[in-house]
Amino acid sequence: MSCFQGLFLCPEAVSLLLHNFCIYHISPPGHEFGAAPVCSNDPSPSVEDLADQILEVLNFFSLEAVMCMGITAGAYILSLFAIKHKERVLGLILISPLCKAPSWSEWFYYKVVSNLLYYYGMSGLLKDIFLQRYFSKEARGSSEVPERDVVHECRRLLGERHGSSLMRFLEAVNRRHDLTDGLKSLKCRTLIFVGDQSPFHSETLHMVTALDRKYSALVEVQACGSMVTEEQPHAMLIPMEFFFMGFGLYRPGRVSDSPRSPLSPSCISPELLSPESLGLKLKPIKTRVPTKC
């Protein structure tokens, strides 16, 4: 959920998203808030398993076709789910998505990170490695300029992750396969954002060439890393509004004088900002029965 706080908590996005949609958040197993360490005897899931769990969540809540939003590896899993279950996906909003199998250099990177996690846990070095893949150089700061608050908060949240759960997720991502052929048959509308400083910029451009141009659009955000939702969430608002209007899903309010967007209402109902509305009291559901240790 920390990947989306910057987007969902900025006022204009609240009026756009919470006025018009019911939002469900899916975390990989062991990554939800308050999760216990994953049992070492549990088999490590594959990206196929993670995509299948999305179907279980939709069926659990009796959801038919949905709009999906994901970042980097999450965007890959949602794209895989859309390829496997085209009838359940209305559209995709992908941020710095992965779509190809890992290169040798990326495979080696994940192996090094997994070994560091195993032997040293979430050390300061590992946090820096992850933050380089998430944020632009400007956001991370330097010896003269302090890192931005959003980077500082992400650094804190990384310290709360269980190393064993993160290792399992990295293993799944490192075993992913190429989605290029499947993307060619994907007909749902797709909106893609990528920061020009994202390590996944070239892979995102490859994904755009694989998708049908009639159904997809690319927004490149300047001076931004992979997590556009955190670093420059306002850059996403107007493209998302027009994207939703194409589905007839967006219902603008009567007042439309927002300084950032010509479409979003500037007046937000206070109850939409309550913890209950933001899902902070929702209990996670389990899509797999864990094996007893």
Side-chain angles (χ1 to χ4, degrees):
M1 290 180 68
S2 58
C3 296
F4 298 94
Q5 288 183 8
L7 174 64
F8 282 92
L9 295 182
C10 75
E12 293 87 350
V14 169
S15 65
L16 167 65
L17 297 170
L18 295 186
H19 270 301
N20 296 285
F21 299 97
C22 180
I23 299 169
Y24 297 79
H25 176 77
I26 303 175
S27 294
H31 289 257
E32 66 274 14
F33 287 132
V38 176
C39 176
S40 58
N41 293 333
D42 285 353
S44 181
S46 66
V47 288
E48 296 280 349
D49 294 329
L50 295 173
D52 290 340
Q53 288 187 0
I54 296 174
L55 181 62
E56 294 184 38
V57 172
L58 299 190
N59 291 338
F60 180 90
F61 288 105
S62 300
L63 302 175
E64 295 299 329
V66 296
M67 187 78 65
C68 299
M69 178 189 293
I71 299 177
T72 58
Y76 174 95
I77 293 168
L78 289 173
S79 300
L80 175 59
F81 174 74
I83 292 170
K84 296 178 66 176
H85 304 282
K86 296 180 176 63
E87 73 284 356
R88 304 299 292 269
V89 179
L90 282 176
L92 292 169
I93 301 175
L94 309 176
I95 299 95
S96 303
L98 307 178
C99 67
K100 297 191 292 185
S103 62
W104 280 110
S105 60
E106 188 179 0
W107 179 88
F108 181 73
Y109 162 86
Y110 281 120
K111 286 297 183 182
V112 170
V113 168
S114 294
N115 285 332
L116 288 173
L117 270 172
Y118 181 80
Y119 288 107
Y120 302 104
M122 186 57 74
S123 63
L125 173 62
L126 264 181
K127 292 178 183 179
D128 288 336
I129 291 175
F130 283 124
L131 291 173
Q132 287 177 5
R133 293 168 76 83
Y134 297 159
F135 297 102
S136 66
K137 185 177 180 179
E138 291 82 0
R140 298 196 310 272
S142 62
S143 56
E144 294 81 17
V145 181
E147 63 185 18
R148 295 181 189 172
D149 290 343
V150 64
V151 180
H152 180 75
E153 178 65 11
C154 186
R155 184 186 297 276
R156 183 189 68 80
L157 291 169
L158 282 172
E160 299 177 357
R161 300 298 92 196
H162 294 299
S164 57
S165 300
L166 186 53
M167 284 176 57
R168 289 159 55 88
F169 184 69
L170 291 176
E171 288 176 8
V173 175
N174 210 20
R175 299 196 309 267
R176 70 184 188 272
H177 56 275
D178 196 327
L179 295 182
T180 302
D181 290 339
L183 292 172
K184 294 176 181 178
S185 64
L186 201 59
K187 299 303 180 184
C188 68
R189 295 185 183 182
T190 306
L191 177 61
I192 300 176
F193 294 91
V194 65
D196 64 347
Q197 296 184 30
S198 169
F200 313 114
H201 183 268
S202 60
E203 189 159 346
T204 299
L205 297 183
H206 170 81
M207 183 174 190
V208 172
T209 61
L211 290 167
D212 192 326
R213 294 196 175 189
K214 293 186 298 182
Y215 302 101
S216 61
L218 171 67
V219 179
E220 296 183 77
V221 183
Q222 301 299 309
C224 187
S226 300
M227 291 178 62
V228 183
T229 51
E230 291 295 299
E231 196 169 345
Q232 296 203 39
H234 291 103
M236 302 178 64
L237 297 178
I238 292 179
M240 287 173 62
E241 288 172 337
F242 283 103
F243 183 69
F244 294 145
M245 289 175 68
F247 290 91
L249 296 175
Y250 175 62
R251 299 186 299 276
R254 295 180 181 179
V255 182
S256 58
D257 57 353
S258 170
R260 292 192 181 273
S261 167
L263 301 176
S264 296
S266 59
C267 202
I268 305 169
S269 300
E271 62 270 15
L272 289 176
L273 297 174
S274 67
E276 292 81 2
S277 294
L278 293 175
L280 300 184
K281 289 189 177 181
L282 292 179
K283 295 181 180 179
I285 69 166
K286 294 187 177 182
T287 58
R288 291 282 189 273
V289 178
T291 304
K292 293 184 178 180
C293 297

